[in-house]
Amino acid sequence: MAYPATEPDGVVLAPLSPAQQRLWIVHRMDPTGPLYNVAHLLRLRGRLDVAVLEHALAEVVRRHDVLRTTFAERGGEPVQVIAPQRLVREILQVRSMEAHPPALREPAALREAAAEAWRRFDLERGPLCRLLLFPLSAEENLLLVVMHHLVSDGWSLNVLFRELSTFYNASLHGRPAHLPELPMQYAGLSGWERERMQGERFREDLAYWKRRLAGIPPVLDLSVGRPRPPVQRFRGERLPLREAGDLLERARSQARALGATSFEFLLAAYAALLGVYCGHEDVVIGVPMAGRTDPRLRPLIGFFVNTVVLRVDLSGDPPFDELVRRASAVAREAREHQDVPFHRLVEELQPERSPSYTPLVQVFFVKHSPQTRADASLLEGIEATELLLPGRESLFDLTLTIDEERSHAEYDADLLDAETVGRLLEHYRAVVEAAVADPRRRCSELLSPGGADREVVLSGRRAAALASRPLRCVHEIFSEQAGRTPDAVALVSRPERLTYARLERRANRLAHLLRRRGVAPEVRVGVCLERSPDLIVSLLAV
């Protein structure tokens, strides 16, 4: 069948974009999981006209084919199924809170919103976008917006709210809304993207990434006191970063003085902290990029965002301002070469794979810009603030999100606990504050000049290293040491001094004698000796 194709009932079939194909495969592997739900919860203060909101949403759904899209298989291949229309009542639901006393309505709404945020989508039936309105009073509502990543990303939520506000505000005053026609629809991009991925520019971008990421460390291990689970289960939790707006403003000011963006400054601070936590000079961080370098893509709702891999060099313990310059160069190069899809990069680089961690990147950094922030305050007469939903899923070991309203850390609950992540957030704040105060300070000095905080991190790392080692017997560890340093002194009992080699030989002779006498595993041997070299020899032999 040639695509796009129109069926008798007006339904249009179109191929998946390369990015959608990757998510489709992941969904088929775990169809019950909500791993790719994109959810935002907003508090709306002001008198909201629900009928006008429904009309505005109908206009947005009519305008964007992707909001009427579901997914199916035709001839064994996945296709986008675009319906000619979609009923708004299937997308927007108003959940009555009147059964609850006024004081209990918000807690009940928050519980319900949290459950709905992570309820899986049926990709074949749809809709793949749902809005749930929880009226708390005549002047206050909670609005939950949940979309599947197959049809949306962070930028798309901003497009959704901007257009929703345009139609809402115009309808509120009985006048037509004026929005320019969309230059294209998302479903028409598949052929265009495939053609672009065959071009010379794409090959140059791919070659850049292969050079930049050659010899990349397979894993950046953050585990502190917990061994990494053999299979990643993506169980996520979230913790807020307190007073982030003030921290961000101070970082923004110092970044300007260094000729960098606030993103680059905060990224450098994150890399410096991860270097301390992981003991690495080669720190690899994933960041999202909008994937809309072509201006025609910017007014569309759809899945464009791409993960790019930033490799930050901490070698030489540089002053922080030098690290900012390094991070700036890496970020700017990445923006120039951002059009290589992450999954294609994994295919080309063939990194060491394990079911216990994501390939190439295990930690993520997000800094929201106005283009990627869902802003419902554009609705006339409405004041909107975003609320932090509890985490249920985490794609990465750790994701740090910086935003004036909702900065937080999302983490893998199998690998990290709330105490560790809470401490990490406080350490991140300390690093940023120290860098703002004195950007010439070396990275190793940013975390508590007195050394107390740094020692907490290092002791945690040592505990993690010990926890991850397989359990071995003392005599095995001793034999390995004897092989490495046979002539070193192992035991002193005046006037006797035994080297590792001599102590090993004496213990082995006694061990062989015990074997000849019938001693085998699980056979008890009593040892009754005073503190002496013979006591140590006997214990090792047994």
Side-chain angles (χ1 to χ4, degrees):
M1 179 184 293
Y3 296 114
T6 304
E7 298 193 330
D9 56 0
V11 168
V12 175
L13 304 181
L16 274 60
S17 71
Q20 284 179 323
Q21 282 191 320
R22 176 173 58 88
L23 284 198
W24 170 262
I25 292 170
V26 171
H27 176 81
R28 293 303 296 269
M29 292 170 64
D30 181 18
T32 63
L35 197 56
Y36 289 96
N37 285 16
V38 182
H40 288 261
L41 180 62
L42 300 160
R43 184 191 302 279
L44 307 180
R45 285 195 171 96
R47 193 167 291 274
L48 183 71
D49 190 320
V50 177
V52 173
L53 182 67
E54 289 176 341
H55 169 76
L57 181 59
E59 290 297 308
V60 177
V61 172
R62 175 193 59 78
R63 182 173 160 83
H64 291 272
D65 288 359
V66 74
L67 297 179
R68 292 178 270 112
T69 296
T70 53
F71 295 83
E73 287 192 41
R74 296 289 190 274
E77 293 292 327
V79 294
Q80 298 184 71
V81 180
I82 305 163
Q85 61 182 4
R86 187 103 215 181
L87 297 176
V88 170
R89 65 172 177 268
E90 296 177 310
I91 299 174
L92 175 62
Q93 301 174 32
V94 180
R95 297 286 178 88
S96 174
M97 294 285 106
E98 291 184 357
H100 302 277
L104 299 180
R105 286 176 186 172
E106 182 168 328
L110 288 172
R111 286 194 300 273
E112 207 168 322
E116 285 289 343
W118 305 112
R119 181 166 62 86
R120 79 175 191 90
F121 285 97
D122 185 329
L123 297 190
E124 294 192 16
R125 296 182 60 187
L128 302 186
C129 171
R130 53 179 180 253
L131 279 70
L132 292 97
L133 191 68
F134 301 91
L136 304 181
S137 69
E139 296 285 335
E140 188 170 7
N141 295 269
L142 296 186
L143 177 64
L144 175 70
V145 181
V146 193
M147 304 177 80
H148 196 281
H149 226 328
L150 277 166
V151 298
S152 178
D153 54 22
W155 184 299
S156 297
L157 282 166
N158 191 16
V159 174
L160 173 70
F161 275 108
R162 190 171 61 245
E163 294 197 358
L164 195 65
S165 300
T166 299
F167 285 115
Y168 179 91
N169 297 341
S171 181
L172 206 59
H173 295 285
R175 60 174 185 258
H178 299 289
L179 283 173
E181 287 297 316
L182 294 175
M184 63 178 72
Q185 292 288 343
Y186 184 84
L189 292 174
S190 180
W192 176 75
E193 283 218 342
R194 292 174 195 281
E195 184 177 324
R196 180 180 61 82
M197 290 171 68
Q198 300 301 317
E200 181 61 29
R201 173 59 193 271
F202 184 84
R203 285 191 288 271
E204 291 173 0
D205 288 344
L206 190 57
Y208 163 81
W209 286 112
K210 292 172 78 170
R211 288 193 307 272
R212 187 76 184 87
L213 301 179
I216 195 170
V219 62
L220 190 72
D221 198 353
L222 270 175
S223 57
V224 179
R226 290 186 180 186
R228 182 177 288 276
V231 177
Q232 197 172 13
R233 295 191 297 170
F234 305 105
R235 290 197 315 113
E237 297 289 349
R238 289 179 180 176
L239 278 180
L241 174 63
R242 59 182 179 83
E243 300 173 5
D246 177 58
L247 190 70
L248 179 54
E249 185 54 43
R250 283 183 285 163
R252 188 179 290 124
S253 176
Q254 185 59 268
R256 282 196 297 267
L258 295 175
T261 65
S262 57
F263 167 81
E264 292 158 357
F265 187 95
L266 294 166
L267 172 71
Y270 192 40
L273 181 64
L274 291 172
V276 173
Y277 264 76
C278 302
H280 287 195
E281 291 185 338
D282 192 358
V283 173
V284 179
I285 301 171
V287 301
M289 288 198 178
R292 299 174 188 247
T293 50
D294 189 317
R296 294 175 296 171
L297 308 181
R298 292 171 189 169
L300 302 187
I301 293 174
F303 178 32
F304 295 95
V305 69
N306 186 33
T307 294
V308 298
V309 184
L310 303 187
R311 188 177 189 178
V312 183
D313 178 15
L314 295 170
S315 63
D317 190 19
F320 186 76
D321 56 359
E322 168 59 24
L323 182 61
V324 170
R325 284 190 284 273
R326 294 181 190 182
S328 297
V330 168
R332 288 166 187 171
E333 285 182 9
R335 281 192 288 272
E336 292 173 6
H337 302 282
Q338 66 172 286
D339 288 334
V340 177
F342 180 75
H343 71 276
R344 179 67 182 274
L345 201 54
V346 173
E347 291 171 4
E348 291 287 337
L349 291 174
Q350 291 291 305
E352 181 181 319
R353 301 297 293 269
S354 167
S356 68
Y357 55 82
T358 52
L360 298 184
V361 292
Q362 295 81 46
V363 296
F364 216 63
F365 181 71
V366 182
K367 182 183 176 297
H368 283 300
S369 64
Q371 290 82 11
T372 58
R373 189 182 299 115
D375 188 2
S377 62
L378 299 172
L379 295 168
E380 190 172 312
I382 299 297
E383 176 192 344
T385 54
E386 190 158 356
L387 303 177
L388 186 63
L389 282 160
R392 287 278 298 277
E393 307 284 336
S394 180
L395 283 170
F396 300 96
D397 293 353
L398 177 71
T399 298
L400 178 62
T401 298
I402 300 295
D403 184 281
E404 283 93 340
E405 294 185 7
R406 57 183 183 93
S407 295
H408 63 279
E410 183 176 86
Y411 59 95
D412 186 329
D414 284 335
L415 189 67
L416 300 167
D417 57 35
E419 181 182 359
T420 299
V421 176
R423 187 166 58 242
L424 183 144
L425 287 174
E426 289 307 308
H427 287 162
Y428 180 70
R429 171 183 298 282
V431 166
V432 173
E433 289 175 345
V436 168
D438 182 8
R440 290 294 301 161
R441 185 178 291 172
R442 291 193 176 275
C443 291
S444 62
E445 301 169 348
L446 291 171
L447 191 60
S448 182
D453 285 344
R454 188 178 179 85
E455 184 55 35
V456 167
V457 174
L458 295 177
S459 63
R461 200 166 70 219
R462 287 192 290 269
L466 289 172
S468 64
R469 291 178 184 172
L471 293 175
R472 294 184 300 161
C473 295
V474 171
H475 74 277
E476 294 173 326
I477 300 172
F478 181 84
S479 294
E480 286 182 7
Q481 186 64 36
R484 286 193 296 268
T485 58
D487 298 324
V489 175
L491 186 150
V492 177
S493 178
R494 289 188 176 92
E496 194 169 8
R497 296 166 67 91
L498 296 181
T499 63
Y500 276 97
R502 189 176 173 194
L503 185 54
E504 174 82 344
R505 285 195 299 271
R506 286 180 58 176
N508 279 339
R509 283 199 299 270
L510 180 55
H512 286 293
L513 175 63
L514 292 171
R515 283 182 178 178
R516 288 196 296 270
R517 297 289 179 89
V519 175
E522 304 303 324
V523 174
R524 296 179 181 178
V525 178
V527 177
C528 182
L529 289 168
E530 294 181 354
R531 292 169 64 89
S532 64
D534 287 340
L535 174 62
I536 304 301
V537 168
S538 300
L539 294 176
L540 287 172
V542 171

